[in-house]
Amino acid sequence: MTGPWWKSAVVYQVYPRSFCDANGDGVGDLEGLREHLDHLEWLGVDAIWISPFFRSPMRDYGYDVSDFCDVDPLFGTLEDFDHLLEDAHARGLRVLLDWVPNHTSDRHPWFREARASRDSAKRSWYVWRDGSPDRPPNNWRAAFREGPSWTWDAATRQWYLHLFLPEQPDLNWANPAVVAAMHDTLRFWLDRGVDGFRMDVVHCIGKDPALPDAPEELARLPWCALNDHASTHGLLRDIRGVIEAYPGERVMVGEVVLFPAERVAPYYGREDELHLCFNFSPLWAPWEAEAWRRQIADTERALDPVGAWPTWVLSNHDNPRHRTRYGGAEARARAAALLLLGLRGTPFLYAGEELGLEDAAIPEARIRDPGGRDGCRAPIPWEGPDAYGWANGDPWLPWPPDAARRNARALGADPRSILHLYRRLLTLRRGVPSLQRGAQEMLAVPDGVLAWRRTSDAEPWIVVVNFSDAEQRVPLEGSFRVAAASDGRSEGTAYSGRLAPEQALWLRG
Ligand code: NOJ
C-alpha cells in the first residue's frame, strides 16, 4: 500500500509500569514488555507506543523526567531498551517513545541548576516571574490539583510556572538553548533507531510571553487544556526538521488537548508539523449513535479540508477505560472494537482493551496517582491467579475486575473471546485497503444505528454499529457478506439486514 506506514497502522499503547513485571519488584519493566512481544505480533498491531520509561522520581509516574536520555532503573537499562527495540523490529513492530517536551522533573539537573540562583546560566531554561508570595503572576490553573500553575520559590523569591504538578516545572521553549537541548534528546533516541514519538501535551510548549490571564469563564479549566499559542507552530516545524533528517518514515504524534477538533487541525501544519494528532472529543462521547454521528462529522469537517489524517482512541492511561465508561457490558466493548477499527484514520489501542478490561477499583490506601487515574492503569493479567503471569503477584496497583477469567491465557484459549475478536479484526484490516485507507461515507440508517461505507479501488466495505439495546432492521443496497461480527455470530454468511442489540458488523461488498 502506498503512503506512509502510520496512515494504515494500528498503534498499541503500553503503559510500562503496568504491562508486565519480569524482575519481581511489582512494577512492569522493559524486559516484561519484551517477553510479551509475541502477544502483540499474534494480535496483529503494527506499532507500539511506550509511555515514559526515562529516569524519573515518579511523581507523575514517568511524566516527570529527570534524564531524557536514560532508562529509569525501575524499568531496566539502555541495553534492555536496545534489546527490546531489536526484537520488536525483528517482528515487524515499530516503536514510538513518549517524549515529554513541556516540562521536566524538578529533580532534573537543568532545574536544580536553574533554581540554585537568579544568576544561574540555566535560570532562563524555565519560566520565572517576579511578584509577591501571596499573588501568583496570573490566573492559570495547574492540572491534577486545585490551585495555581505557579509555585513560589522562597530561596530566590520568584514564581516558577508548572502546568502540571509543582514537581514538573515548564521548560522555556522561547530560549534557543532549550530548543537545542531538547532536539538533542530526540536525536539520542532516533540514533538508537526508534520509529517516532508520541509528544506529551505538545501544544503547550509555545507560550504567550505576556502570560495573559485565562478568560474568566474558562479560568476553572487547567491551563494545559487552553494553551494555544502561535509560537508552538514554528517550534513544531523545527522539531519536524530534526525528525526528517533521519531516514525512514519516523512519525510525530502530538497529544493536543484542545477542543473542538477545529483547534487541533492547525497542529498538522501544512504537512510540516505533527504527522498525527490525538483528537480527544470522541473519547468522551457516550455510547450513543447520535453522539458518535456528531463526533465523526465534526472530525471530518475539521480535518478533511486541511488534508489532516485523523486518529481515533477510546482508552488510554489518563481516562477510565471505555468499557467502564460505557457501563461494563462486554457486548458494547466488542461493538466498540468494530467502531474504532472501522473508522477512517489511525486507531490507537490501549493495552488490555483487547482483553475487555475494565478499570480496577482502587481502595483508598492504594491510591497512587495525584490525578485519580489509577483505575485504568491496573496491571495486565497475562495468566490466571495467583501471580497473573507477573514475576510478583502483588503489583503496584490492584488487578482489574474478573482477572481470573479476563487474562491473556484464558481468553487466548477461547476462540469466541473478545481477544480473538480483536485479532480477527486486526488481521482483516491489514488485508483490506478500503478499511485501512479508503474514503468514508456515512449512510442513512435508522435511529440508534450508525453505518458508513469505506471505499478504495478495491471492494467496498460497510461498518454498521447498533448502539441500541433493541434489534434493528438495517436494509442496505446491494448484497454483502458478514466479514466480522462483534458477537462472533453469522461471520461468513450473507448479511440478513438485521442487527442484534448492541451488535456491530463489518460487511464485505
Ligand atoms: C499528558 C499525559 O498523558 C499525562 O499522563 C501526564 O500526566 C501529563 N501529560 C503531564 O505530562
Side-chain angles (χ1 to χ4, degrees):
M1 177 158 308
T2 55
W5 65 270
W6 42 264
K7 282 199 172 175
S8 29
V10 176
V11 185
Y12 181 100
Q13 181 192 358
V14 171
Y15 191 70
R17 293 184 71 90
S18 303
F19 200 67
C20 190
D21 172 22
N23 70 0
D25 64 1
V27 176
D29 43 46
L30 295 182
E31 185 55 17
L33 167 53
R34 199 182 64 79
E35 286 172 2
H36 287 89
L37 290 178
D38 52 354
H39 171 80
L40 302 179
E41 191 183 0
W42 174 86
L43 187 61
V45 297
D46 303 285
I48 54 175
W49 141 36
I50 315 172
S51 283
F53 52 76
F54 316 111
R55 277 190 187 264
S56 165
M58 303 287 164
R59 300 309 291 260
D60 188 14
Y61 294 105
Y63 286 93
D64 49 326
V65 180
S66 56
D67 184 348
F68 290 103
C69 300
D70 202 1
V71 174
D72 194 280
L74 195 59
F75 297 120
T77 62
L78 272 174
E79 218 181 3
D80 292 337
F81 175 76
D82 290 340
H83 197 183
L84 167 66
L85 185 65
E86 195 184 314
D87 270 20
H89 282 168
R91 293 164 187 268
L93 289 166
R94 315 233 186 194
V95 177
L96 311 185
L97 303 197
D98 202 323
W99 187 55
V100 187
N102 179 66
H103 43 266
T104 68
S105 158
D106 63 342
R107 307 279 96 192
H108 195 294
W110 299 343
F111 189 70
R112 284 173 184 269
E113 193 181 329
R115 194 174 203 169
S117 113
R118 285 199 188 198
D119 305 323
S120 151
K122 294 255 172 9
R123 187 73 171 179
S124 61
W125 283 41
Y126 294 84
V127 183
W128 298 91
R129 284 294 180 275
D130 289 331
S132 68
D134 52 351
R135 192 151 177 270
N138 67 15
N139 69 354
W140 294 2
R141 274 203 47 197
F144 307 146
R145 287 182 190 163
E146 282 298 319
S149 59
W150 296 94
T151 288
W152 176 252
D153 183 58
T156 58
R157 301 197 57 77
Q158 275 190 319
W159 294 92
Y160 68 85
L161 178 67
H162 52 86
L163 299 191
F164 295 89
L165 298 173
E167 296 87 355
Q168 293 168 293
D170 277 43
L171 282 164
N172 174 19
W173 276 79
N175 181 341
V178 168
V179 174
M182 289 304 285
H183 285 183
D184 281 346
T185 66
L186 290 171
R187 292 191 189 99
F188 178 85
W189 295 103
L190 290 164
D191 287 338
R192 294 189 108 83
V194 304
D195 300 287
F197 301 89
R198 177 263 190 190
M199 301 189 164
D200 190 65
V201 289
V202 75
H203 64 294
C204 289
I205 61 177
K207 309 222 168 50
D208 187 331
L211 303 173
D213 274 343
E216 208 46 55
E217 67 280 11
L218 297 175
R220 293 194 45 220
L221 292 173
W223 182 255
C224 60
L226 299 169
N227 191 82
D228 187 12
H229 190 250
S231 61
T232 301
H233 298 286
L235 295 170
L236 287 175
R237 286 192 287 275
D238 291 346
I239 294 167
R240 175 112 169 204
V242 172
I243 303 275
E244 289 192 339
Y246 283 78
E249 295 165 328
R250 319 256 179 144
V251 67
M252 296 160 58
V253 186
E255 188 200 25
V256 177
V257 191
L258 293 171
F259 306 91
E262 267 81 10
R263 295 188 56 208
V264 175
Y267 287 83
Y268 287 80
R270 298 185 176 160
E271 293 191 24
D272 58 358
E273 295 185 32
L274 295 162
H275 299 92
L276 295 173
C277 296
F278 285 117
N279 173 32
F280 289 119
S281 299
L283 186 148
W284 279 106
W287 182 251
E288 287 167 17
E290 199 37 49
W292 271 91
R293 182 192 307 284
R294 261 198 316 274
Q295 292 296 340
I296 295 167
D298 289 354
T299 302
E300 288 178 345
R301 197 174 42 246
L303 301 190
D304 288 1
V306 294
W309 186 249
T311 62
W312 300 95
V313 55
L314 296 178
S315 287
N316 61 25
H317 65 295
D318 287 331
N319 296 285
R321 287 182 176 274
H322 61 275
R323 178 161 179 182
T324 301
R325 296 198 315 272
Y326 295 162
E330 180 161 321
R332 286 189 181 177
R334 285 170 169 263
L338 277 78
L339 165 80
L340 176 69
L341 295 169
L343 285 165
R344 178 177 173 273
T346 300
F348 284 73
L349 307 182
Y350 178 47
E353 75 176 74
E354 77 276 24
L355 306 178
L357 296 188
E358 291 175 87
D359 280 17
I362 311 290
E364 209 167 322
R366 297 201 61 183
I367 292 176
R368 305 295 286 271
D369 176 42
R373 299 162 294 182
D374 293 322
C376 65
R377 297 175 178 181
I380 304 293
W382 294 100
E383 296 169 11
D386 292 330
Y388 298 95
W390 280 49
N392 175 339
D394 184 22
W396 74 295
L397 285 173
W399 297 103
D402 216 1
R405 217 171 42 82
R406 286 181 215 163
N407 63 69
R409 174 164 296 174
L411 298 181
D414 175 4
R416 290 160 312 166
S417 67
I418 187 168
L419 174 59
H420 277 271
L421 173 67
Y422 267 86
R423 180 170 191 245
R424 285 203 304 285
L425 298 175
L426 290 164
T427 309
L428 274 171
R429 197 179 185 277
R430 254 195 194 161
V432 178
S434 296
L435 286 175
Q436 285 187 305
R437 300 285 288 276
Q440 175 167 295
E441 181 202 346
M442 300 306 286
L443 304 176
V445 287
D447 286 352
V449 179
L450 283 190
W452 58 94
R453 184 185 290 123
R454 301 293 313 278
T455 44
S456 65
D457 296 343
E459 57 190 4
W461 280 56
I462 289 185
V463 179
V464 203
V465 183
N466 180 6
F467 289 81
S468 74
D469 55 10
E471 183 181 292
Q472 295 272 3
R473 286 183 60 82
V474 187
L476 296 170
E477 255 175 57
S479 60
F480 294 90
R481 297 190 78 75
V482 177
S486 56
D487 55 8
R489 290 196 212 124
S490 71
E491 286 179 2
T493 68
Y495 173 54
S496 67
R498 284 172 205 272
L499 276 91
E502 302 200 315
Q503 187 191 38
L505 301 174
W506 281 4
L507 305 174
R508 186 198 302 256

